[in-house]
């Protein structure tokens, strides 16, 4: 899918999408599906409809904020990537790495390594790390949510961070 498309074409697609035209929705869905394929998400094909729907809902909600229609395809690519990564986290599955074309390290490699390291933690450690860092909760909020004293939470977090550091140092 080329991103060097005439902006008036995308403006027309967006207008027709806003009007609920099926052909415009299918065209935008096709772009999302193309990016899912590029991201190597073949293993999770049964969930592609859910991911496409989420991307299109986000597009619908942000229609008024898209000022430069020539950037639409890039917006869809980025949003599809973000939704797919969130889906992988939610379902606790590994993010696939597309085949490498050269010796260059893929940008998602660190994320995959982090996922693998998180899976090596105990369930309590993983829950604490996810609550504090992925959900962005304070120690006080996490303590209430998880039903454990704040001191215990901090101890578990410290143990988890040490385990994560060891995991990454072993790979260097």
């Amino acid at each position: 899918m080329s991103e060097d498309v005439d902006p008036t074409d995308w403006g027309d697609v967006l207008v027709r999408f806003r009007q609920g035209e099926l052909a415009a929705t299918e065209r935008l869905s096709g772009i999302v599906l193309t990016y899912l394929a590029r991201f190597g998400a073949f293993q999770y094909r049964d969930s592609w409809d859910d991911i496409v729907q989420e991307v299109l809902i986000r597009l619908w909600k942000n229609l008024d904020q898209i000022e430069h229609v020539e950037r639409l395809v890039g917006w869809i690519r980025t949003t599809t990537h973000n939704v797919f990564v969130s889906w992988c986290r939610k379902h606790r599955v590994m993010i696939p790495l597309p085949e490498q074309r050269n010796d260059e390290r893929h940008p998602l490699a660190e994320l995959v390594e982090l996922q693998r390291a998180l899976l090596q933690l105990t369930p309590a450690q993983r829950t604490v790390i996810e609550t504090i860092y992925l959900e962005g909760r304070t120690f006080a909020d996490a303590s209430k949510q998880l039903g454990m004293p704040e001191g215990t939470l901090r101890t578990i977090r410290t143990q988890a961070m040490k385990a994560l550091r060891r995991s990454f140092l072993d790979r260097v």
Side-chain angles (χ1 to χ4, degrees), residues 25-106:
T25 303
E26 288 174 345
R27 184 164 183 196
L28 293 169
S29 296
I31 296 169
V32 175
L33 290 170
T34 298
Y35 282 119
L36 285 172
R38 285 186 182 178
F39 298 149
F42 297 109
Q43 184 177 352
Y44 312 113
R45 265 195 146 148
D46 56 335
S47 298
W48 282 16
D49 287 341
D50 295 336
I51 295 169
V52 169
Q53 182 178 2
E54 178 65 26
V55 172
L56 293 181
I57 287 171
R58 288 184 185 191
L59 175 60
W60 183 267
K61 288 180 178 178
N62 290 291
L63 278 174
D64 295 334
Q65 297 172 357
I66 297 177
E67 297 172 8
H68 303 285
V69 293
E70 66 272 10
R71 296 182 183 161
L72 176 65
V73 176
W75 185 94
I76 290 174
R77 181 189 60 240
T78 301
T79 304
T80 301
H81 176 265
N82 293 343
V83 169
F84 178 59
V85 168
S86 294
W87 181 91
C88 288
R89 286 179 183 151
K90 179 180 177 185
H91 293 88
R92 295 182 187 264
V93 298
M94 297 302 293
I95 298 170
L97 284 177
E99 293 296 319
Q100 295 297 302
R101 295 186 185 153
N102 53 33
D103 293 338
E104 193 174 299
R105 187 169 169 86
H106 190 275

Side-chain angles (χ1 to χ4, degrees), residues 127-140:
T127 300
V128 167
I129 293 297
E130 288 173 350
T131 303
I132 293 171
Y133 295 106
L134 297 180
E135 295 176 18
R137 298 197 183 276
T138 64
F139 282 99

